[in-house]
Amino acid sequence: MESNLTKGPILKSLIKLAIPIMASSFLATLYNITDMAWIGLLGSKAVAGVGVGGMFTWLSQGLSSIARMGGQVQVAQCIGRGDKESAHKYAQTAMQLSLYMGLLFAVFSLVFVHQMVGFFNLTDVEAYDAAISYTRIACGLIVFSFMTMTLTGVYTAQGDSKTPFLANLVGLVTNMILDPLLILGPGPLPKLGVSGAAIATVTAQFIVMSIMVLDIIWQKKENVLKGIHLIGRMSGKYLSGICKIGIPTGIQGMVYCMISMLITRMVSAFGAEAVATLRVGGQIESVSWNTADGFATALNAFTAQNYGAGKIDRVKKGYRASLWTIGIWGLLITLIFIFTPIPIATIFFHEPSAIATAVSYLVIIGFSEAFLCIELTTIGAISGLGKTNLCSIISILFTSARIPLAMILGNTSMGLNGIWWAFSSTTIIKGIIFTGTFFWIIKKCPKNMNPPSSQA
């Protein structure tokens, strides 16, 4: 395998695996920021439309995480146990599941696109049309995103984070080149607007997927993905093992997205600029979110391999090292959001009222960024232990609290800012609770134990 995470210096192993993943996550952030920066030139209504369409691609990520998380954890634990045959079969089943779910979601999106976009009650015709156009393309070809996510998870489970990073780097360059060409249509090229942004993103996703597939075919190094068959019947045994780990994570992601959809509907009552702020603000916040999620992915693979090998002491030390590293990063983002919100907001908005709304969002959300980083990192560690059910319960419970809290605070003199505070306060609470939960779980485990049996 590319890397055995059960041996060697802990922090060095984590950093070696985490840096390419965090870099890939940063590239994903640039993907979204690049789109928003160019779309912002079309006006806040176009941004609002893409924001609504982006909700459905976000929803799809929750569904795709079933195959990704289930496959990643099971493959990593099998590698930790030295069971390469089971690792290969889990990898194949995860890829099959990803392909079939991606195709089903695409068909559903194309058939019910008007009903999906209609949920948000967009009163502006331009924003509504933009949402329809973006959703049709981005969700209609979502299978590339599904496959890319699962491939990345299986690569990471083996300790190889460099290949996904390089693939994402090529995808980013492609996206950055295509965005202005397709969105604005300079010279003889047609101006495609938000449709161009969707085409650029889907094209980049296809390229990223293709690079990782070609790496499997051409490289001579050992890879559990070599020789898999995408078309055919899935093994019930391995499908069950993937679903046991992946479904709680998938439910958590989709419920989280649906909660955000409901809150977006509340925000839409404050106008298109408020919806645009929510969309762009989320992309700006992804500087911390994607970085923390990238480190969490590395910690997940590290935890799963060492848990599979029965090395609980390494799991504890790996978590503590990760917590300090990502906590400092989150604190830095907090300071940037609170003290320099205006320069950030003016990159994406040009109307004074929209800038003012975005500044308020960044300051309020800024207080929770360090806690967000801690939350995501801890979820990665707990999931690596196979405790995805517990992660889902905590996350769904406290994220759901945003709805009544947003309704209460939004109807006070705070107005829209009350909704932003509902986001920030619940994130702070989740960061504290998840940290305590990890130490509670790990306290019951001996420093070293017999490797756990297969969860299939």
Side-chain angles (χ1 to χ4, degrees):
M1 297 300 167
E2 178 72 16
S3 178
N4 186 342
L5 304 176
T6 63
K7 300 178 181 179
I10 292 174
L11 186 58
K12 181 179 178 180
S13 297
L14 272 170
I15 291 176
K16 182 180 179 181
L17 182 62
I19 286 178
I21 298 174
M22 289 191 293
S24 295
S25 296
F26 181 69
L27 292 180
T29 301
L30 289 181
Y31 264 179
N32 297 324
I33 290 177
T34 298
D35 283 343
M36 287 297 101
W38 288 112
I39 293 169
L41 298 177
L42 303 177
S44 59
K45 294 178 181 178
V47 174
V50 173
V52 167
M55 280 288 179
F56 301 113
T57 60
W58 183 14
L59 180 66
S60 76
Q61 289 178 5
L63 187 62
S64 66
S65 67
I66 296 175
R68 175 185 175 167
M69 181 60 74
Q72 178 172 314
V73 171
Q74 292 287 17
V75 168
Q77 289 192 2
C78 286
I79 291 172
R81 291 192 297 269
D83 187 354
K84 296 181 181 180
E85 181 180 355
S86 292
H88 171 77
K89 291 179 179 177
Y90 272 122
Q92 173 171 296
T93 305
M95 292 306 303
Q96 289 177 311
L97 182 61
S98 183
L99 173 63
Y100 298 150
M101 288 197 302
L103 293 174
L104 285 173
F105 189 87
V107 171
F108 180 88
S109 299
L110 292 173
V111 173
F112 297 104
V113 63
H114 288 283
Q115 291 86 342
M116 291 163 63
V117 173
F119 171 81
F120 291 95
N121 290 331
L122 290 174
T123 56
D124 186 89
V125 175
E126 183 180 341
Y128 178 84
D129 289 342
I132 292 291
S133 299
Y134 190 88
T135 304
R136 277 178 173 158
I137 298 170
C139 292
L141 295 170
I142 200 69
V143 67
F144 302 137
S145 175
F146 273 58
M147 298 292 284
T148 297
M149 286 186 65
T150 305
L151 281 167
T152 300
V154 177
Y155 266 98
T156 304
Q158 301 172 82
D160 180 4
S161 56
K162 294 179 183 177
T163 302
F165 164 71
L166 293 174
N168 277 284
L169 178 60
V170 176
L172 170 65
V173 172
T174 301
N175 196 58
M176 292 181 70
I177 293 172
L178 292 179
D179 260 343
L181 296 178
L182 298 179
I183 294 173
L184 302 178
L189 296 175
K191 181 179 179 180
L192 300 179
V194 296
S195 295
I199 293 170
T201 298
V202 169
T203 302
Q205 290 169 348
F206 173 76
I207 290 173
V208 173
M209 180 195 73
S210 299
I211 291 173
M212 284 193 277
V213 170
L214 290 173
D215 178 77
I216 298 167
I217 297 171
W218 290 343
Q219 292 295 327
K220 294 182 179 180
K221 63 185 178 183
E222 188 177 357
N223 191 317
V224 297
L225 288 161
K226 281 188 178 292
I228 66 170
H229 301 284
L230 287 178
I231 306 301
R233 183 178 178 181
M234 289 185 286
S235 166
K237 172 185 176 182
Y238 295 100
L239 178 61
S240 174
I242 287 172
C243 290
K244 181 180 178 181
I245 299 294
I247 285 180
T249 301
I251 292 174
Q252 174 187 329
M254 288 184 286
V255 169
Y256 190 92
C257 181
M258 287 187 281
I259 291 169
S260 295
M261 286 181 175
L262 290 171
I263 294 179
T264 300
R265 189 171 180 175
M266 295 181 199
V267 171
S268 67
F270 293 89
E273 288 181 352
V275 177
T277 295
L278 183 61
R279 167 64 173 175
V280 173
Q283 300 305 333
I284 297 171
E285 190 184 5
S286 66
V287 171
S288 57
W289 190 92
N290 274 334
T291 303
D293 193 53
F295 208 97
T297 301
L299 182 60
N300 177 275
F302 177 89
T303 301
Q305 279 200 23
N306 283 282
Y307 180 73
K311 297 183 178 182
I312 299 300
D313 192 48
R314 281 179 65 85
V315 172
K316 294 178 184 178
K317 292 178 180 178
Y319 175 73
R320 290 192 182 99
S322 301
L323 200 63
W324 277 104
T325 304
I326 206 63
I328 292 171
W329 171 255
L331 184 60
L332 176 63
I333 299 300
T334 287
L335 295 175
I336 291 173
F337 280 15
I338 292 175
F339 292 106
T340 61
I342 295 177
I344 299 173
T346 52
I347 295 174
F348 304 94
F349 294 104
H350 307 284
E351 303 99 326
S353 57
I355 292 173
T357 302
V359 167
S360 296
Y361 176 92
L362 289 170
V363 172
I364 294 169
I365 291 296
F367 285 99
S368 65
E369 291 305 293
F371 294 92
L372 172 66
C373 291
I374 291 171
E375 173 196 348
L376 294 174
T377 302
T378 308
I379 288 175
I382 296 174
S383 298
L385 298 172
K387 307 290 185 181
T388 51
N389 279 322
L390 188 57
C391 291
S392 297
I393 291 170
I394 296 172
S395 184
I396 290 172
L397 180 63
F398 287 96
T399 304
S400 298
R402 288 180 175 179
I403 296 175
L405 192 57
M407 293 175 66
I408 293 170
L409 297 179
N411 287 319
T412 66
S413 58
M414 288 190 287
L416 184 60
N417 286 344
I419 297 178
W420 305 152
W421 275 115
F423 285 176
S424 191
S425 60
T426 51
T427 298
I428 292 171
I429 293 171
K430 285 191 293 179
I432 295 170
I433 289 177
F434 269 113
T435 302
T437 300
F438 176 83
F439 283 115
W440 172 72
I441 293 172
I442 214 70
K443 186 178 180 180
K444 299 187 298 181
C445 298
K447 288 187 177 181
N448 292 286
M449 65 178 192
N450 294 326
S453 59
S454 174
Q455 298 184 42

